[in-house]
Amino acid sequence: IIPVHGDIIKGYSNKELTFSKTLNDMRLHPAVDIACDKNTEVNAAFSGTVTETANDSFSGNVVVIDHGSGITVRYVGVKPADGIKKGAKVTSETVIGTSAEIPFECEDEPHIHIEVLKNNDFVSPTEIMGIDG
């Protein structure tokens, strides 16, 4: 399941540097950025268990879900919905939160930033979720 429907505004890159307008530098982008309006509902990609919710000055709101089989997804720029906290069980139909600000990418159009880890290594969301980008 794609967490939100929107255009890919920045694709996955683990070898080629991409320019960050916000940070004004070149860096890897081990994620896919999907455009969506602020306060858009975001679904979990698969069933799983919430392992963390956080809010910091660099990433903003983050929901982390262990989807099993070594797959963990970091939903960055997602303000958790009521009941979405460590230990919560979710399905692909669960609204895990709403899109919010992403401080380290605030110069880009509104979006969510999806990072997928397989056995603690970044992998392309296209490989795991079927997201083009």
Side-chain angles (χ1 to χ4, degrees):
I1 299 294
I2 298 172
V4 296
H5 293 283
D7 293 331
I8 303 298
I9 61 171
K10 190 179 287 185
Y12 176 83
S13 173
N14 70 342
K15 294 181 181 164
E16 185 176 321
L17 297 175
T18 60
F19 183 71
S20 167
K21 290 188 277 187
T22 305
L23 301 173
N24 195 32
D25 67 5
M26 300 295 288
R27 59 184 50 230
L28 295 177
H29 189 256
V32 168
D33 292 348
I34 305 171
C36 61
D37 292 331
K38 190 173 178 184
N39 297 317
T40 298
E41 289 186 339
V42 179
N43 289 72
F46 314 99
S47 296
T49 303
V50 177
T51 59
E52 178 184 2
T53 61
N55 186 349
D56 65 52
S57 61
F58 186 74
S59 298
N61 288 287
V62 179
V63 176
V64 182
I65 301 177
D66 179 347
H67 292 292
S69 300
I71 304 296
T72 300
V73 178
R74 295 184 75 237
Y75 301 82
V76 180
V78 177
K79 182 179 178 185
D82 290 340
I84 299 300
K85 58 186 178 186
K86 186 174 182 174
K89 303 290 185 197
V90 299
T91 70
S92 60
E93 297 174 0
T94 303
V95 173
I96 60 170
T98 55
S99 58
E101 298 284 326
I102 303 172
F104 73 89
E105 293 183 335
C106 66
E107 294 295 321
D108 297 326
E109 66 183 275
H111 67 282
I112 61 170
H113 175 98
I114 303 293
E115 298 175 352
V116 178
L117 294 99
K118 185 172 185 179
N119 300 321
N120 296 315
D121 292 321
F122 286 104
V123 296
S124 172
T126 301
E127 176 185 325
I128 303 300
M129 298 175 153
I131 297 173
D132 292 329

